[in-house]
Each structure stands twice: as structure tokens, then as C-alpha cells.
Amino acid sequence: MKSAITLSQVPEAAAGPFVFHQPLAEGFAAAKKHGYDSVELFFPGPDFITAGEVKALAAEHDLGIAAVGTGAGMVKHGLSLTDPDASRREAALDFIIKMIDFGGQLGAPAILGSMQGKWGGDISREQALIWLAGALKVAGDAAAKHHVPFIYEPLNRYETNLINHLAEGAKYIEDHNLDNIVLLADLFHMNIEESDVAQAIIDAGRHTGHVHFADSNRSAMGFGHTDAAPIIAALKQVGYTGYLSAEVFPKPDADACAAQEIKAIRAALA
Ligand code: LER
Ligand code: MN
């Protein structure tokens, strides 16, 4: 397993669970200074910066790109894959495909979190899940062209009412033959929803493809009450070799957070 830390360039997400928010070159330098293997990028959109510029920063600091988020499509533009309006669903998928192509040039998968949306009003859960599966199929195929998966993230109940549990996500992937979709195990969401986080990872088996390594309170691991040891054991048991990524609040400040998180990742993997 490898370490990653989040760099955000989205002003609307200034209060979100991202560690470094300063200009990108400084964020890369900070990630390297703290000893991370890679960065996870949260950008306003696919045209924020060229893939070439990001590649140059990654090479300069000897950092990998773990993943790119798509959440700006929701926080900046209010786009979701389960919007009742077909033209808004289309715009959401278009945004996501462009982010997949951007990440793909960096060899990095894109993540679907908040842009999955919610069901309600005139839209049944069944209908929303059909739309979501259709979009995931298209996104998975687009990602496959770059030889990366597309990452789907079950969220806690306060952020979506579609899929809140990892095992539900695994079954959904299998039922819809979503071959190039992997699951994101965000330990903060799982702390809220799962009765046993480690067992949920075991139950989801080979489907976990990315991990947001957050403590129970969404601070750096070690600043809350999650026991990371059985979770790491579960990830090893299912053969997970991907990233443990610091999508956490920069508390008490970004540097102290980054230092605590890398310490926790190293201790967990020792
Ligand atoms: C994104 O990775 C996430 O975990 C969500 O809570 C953002 O809305
Ligand atoms: Mn997350």
C-alpha cells in the first residue's frame, strides 16, 4: 500500500476534507516534505491546468498521482448523475468523462463521490440506481481506454441515499456487470454506516480500489477513535495494494495533520 495526500484547488471546498489548499506547486512541495508517495487532486474542472503541467510538478517532486476527484461538478455546478433533468444528467456525465480523460493522461483514476446525487421527489431510488449504473458503465469504459478503473464511492446517509455500504456497492457492481468500476472505502463514511468496518472490507472482497484513510471524526488517523489495525489487516486479506489517501480535515492545521497522517500510515503498514 502507498500513501497519498489531498491537494484542493477548489475555493468552494475550502471547508472540505482536503489537507493542502495553497497554490499547487506549494502543495506538491508540502506533500513531498512530509514524505508522501503521491497526491490526490481536487480541481475545479478538467481545464483548470494542463496534464503536462501536473506531470512536470509530479516529476519535479517525485510524487505519483493517486486519483483525481470530480466533486467540483457538484459543488461548483450542481451537477449530478441522478438529476431529474436529462440534460443535467448528460452535463454531469460529460464533466466526469472529461475528468477521466484528464486523470487518464496522468495515469490516475477519477472518483465519483458527491456527483452521484440522491433520489427523491418524482425520482424513485430504483430509477436513480438505473441511471447511475448506465453512467458508471460509460465512465468505466472511458477509464479503460486509459488503462485505469473508475472509482465509485459509497457515502454516508447525510450525503447520499443511494448506496451507503461497501457490500451494497460490491453487489451493485456485480449485478450490473460494471467490470471497470472499483469501490472507494472512505473510512469516515464507513465509521458512520458499517457495523464493522474491517468486516465490510472483507465482505466487499476484491472490489475495493481506493481508500480514504480518515479517522472517525474525519481528522488524520490517530486524532479520532478508529482502530486502524483490523482495517489494515482486512485490506491485506483482500489483497489490496492501492493508496491510503489522506482525505481529512486539516486539523489542527495542515502541517500537523499531514505529519500525523503519514505517521499513522507508516505505523499501520509497519
Ligand atoms: C469525497 O471523497 C467524499 O468523501 C465526500 O464526502 C465528498 O462529498
Ligand atoms: Mn471520500
Side-chain angles (χ1 to χ4, degrees):
M1 286 177 243
K2 293 155 284 182
S3 58
I5 190 158
T6 45
L7 310 185
S8 173
Q9 296 288 292
V10 181
E12 292 85 347
F18 308 105
V19 180
F20 292 119
H21 298 257
Q22 63 265 60
L24 207 53
E26 290 174 30
F28 270 84
K32 189 64 192 175
K33 183 188 83 182
H34 285 283
Y36 285 85
D37 299 317
S38 67
V39 294
E40 179 172 323
L41 303 172
F42 194 68
F43 285 171
D47 303 319
F48 173 70
I49 183 172
T50 66
E53 287 170 275
V54 177
K55 271 186 196 168
L57 283 168
E60 182 188 340
H61 298 283
D62 190 26
L63 286 164
I65 310 296
V68 299
T70 62
M74 169 58 81
V75 301
K76 280 185 82 76
H77 309 293
L79 293 170
S80 114
L81 294 173
T82 53
D83 194 293
D85 180 338
S87 69
R88 300 288 292 165
R89 293 197 299 278
E90 212 174 292
L93 185 55
D94 183 61
F95 183 92
I96 285 167
I97 299 296
K98 287 184 172 134
M99 288 306 298
I100 288 171
D101 289 336
F102 174 76
Q105 294 174 66
L106 304 165
I111 297 169
L112 175 65
S114 60
M115 282 191 76
Q116 66 191 274
K118 297 173 184 170
W119 67 273
D122 293 338
I123 308 304
S124 67
R125 179 166 190 266
E126 191 184 23
Q127 175 64 75
L129 287 173
I130 289 169
W131 285 336
L132 180 63
L136 285 173
K137 179 84 186 88
V138 175
D141 289 350
K145 291 186 189 134
H146 300 285
H147 310 289
V148 293
F150 183 60
I151 303 171
Y152 172 64
E153 179 173 24
L155 303 173
N156 75 71
R157 67 191 69 182
Y158 306 107
E159 296 189 37
T160 188
N161 51 15
L162 292 170
I163 292 178
N164 304 123
H165 296 91
L166 212 61
E168 253 185 300
K171 184 171 184 314
Y172 183 66
I173 283 174
E174 287 174 10
D175 288 350
H176 294 274
N177 297 312
L178 298 168
D179 300 330
N180 199 35
I181 305 301
V182 296
L183 295 174
L184 202 169
D186 182 321
L187 305 184
F188 164 72
H189 297 304
M190 293 179 75
N191 170 66
I192 294 170
E193 297 297 343
E194 308 285 0
S195 47
D196 180 329
V197 174
Q199 189 60 48
I201 287 167
I202 292 167
D203 292 344
R206 64 188 169 84
H207 291 292
T208 296
H210 196 66
V211 173
H212 282 159
F213 199 60
D215 211 322
S216 52
N217 50 3
R218 215 171 206 179
S219 286
M221 189 61 80
F223 285 167
H225 57 74
T226 293
D227 181 3
I231 296 170
I232 296 293
L235 288 167
K236 285 183 179 163
Q237 187 178 326
V238 298
Y240 181 73
T241 56
Y243 293 95
L244 299 179
S245 184
E247 187 193 69
V248 294
F249 290 122
K251 289 181 177 176
D253 59 64
D255 272 310
C257 164
Q260 171 60 32
E261 178 85 355
I262 195 71
K263 189 174 111 187
I265 290 174
R266 285 177 177 153
L269 297 180

